[in-house]
């Protein structure tokens, strides 16, 4: 099972970026797909999460600016980031809590990080 993320880059303050992540491989089911981020010198933190039923959760710092969406058929999750601020600068990681075949127990998988840099 692999998580492949894309979409990071450099953007000016107030701009927008969209991150995408696709889970591939032998997957029985995906429970939650999420985005985390880690800024230099800080701990990794949850940015946004989407469960299989459509429920979402956001960090307080991004509420009203970021949106998360997922496609349960294509096993993808996207993070639309608007009104970006310099404090959003971090490495963003895709995460999935999923059940790989032939197992019946879920595990967490991480994609490689993608750098998001917001210049002021």
């Amino acid at each position: 099972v692999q998580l492949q993320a894309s979409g990071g880059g450099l953007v000016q303050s107030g701009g927008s970026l969209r991150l995408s992540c696709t889970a591939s491989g032998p997957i029985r089911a995906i429970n939650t797909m999420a985005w985390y981020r880690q800024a230099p010198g800080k701990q990794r933190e949850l940015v946004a999460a989407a469960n299989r039923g459509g429920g979402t959760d956001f960090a307080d710092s991004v509420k009203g600016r970021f949106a998360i969406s997922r496609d349960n058929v294509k096993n993808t999750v996207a993070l639309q980031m608007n009104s970006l601020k310099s404090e959003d600068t971090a490495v963003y990681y895709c995460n999935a809590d999923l059940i790989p075949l032939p197992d019946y127990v879920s595990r967490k998988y991480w994609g490689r990080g993608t750098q998001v840099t917001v210049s002021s």
Side-chain angles (χ1 to χ4, degrees):
V1 174
Q2 288 187 331
L3 298 183
Q4 184 66 46
S6 62
L10 173 65
V11 65
Q12 288 189 332
S13 180
S16 298
L17 278 176
R18 183 177 178 87
L19 305 182
S20 296
C21 177
T22 300
S24 61
I27 298 170
R28 185 182 299 281
I30 301 178
N31 298 320
T32 302
M33 299 190 81
W35 290 93
Y36 286 73
R37 68 185 180 187
Q38 187 167 19
K42 294 188 177 181
Q43 289 189 331
R44 191 172 297 189
E45 62 174 355
L46 175 68
V47 178
N51 63 34
R52 187 171 182 82
T56 58
D57 188 27
F58 294 90
D60 288 343
S61 60
V62 307
K63 284 180 180 176
R65 300 188 297 121
F66 290 13
I68 188 169
S69 59
R70 62 181 281 184
D71 185 321
N72 291 333
V73 174
K74 297 180 179 179
N75 290 341
T76 60
V77 64
L79 184 68
Q80 178 65 41
M81 305 184 291
N82 300 322
S83 302
L84 282 161
K85 306 175 181 179
S86 57
E87 50 262 46
D88 295 318
T89 295
V91 177
Y92 284 69
Y93 296 90
C94 177
N95 170 273
D97 180 70
L98 62 84
I99 304 173
L101 288 167
D103 299 344
Y104 292 89
V105 178
S106 67
R107 282 184 278 172
K108 292 189 182 297
Y109 289 81
W110 293 92
R112 288 188 178 183
T114 183
Q115 177 70 45
V116 171
T117 303
V118 184
S119 62
S120 56

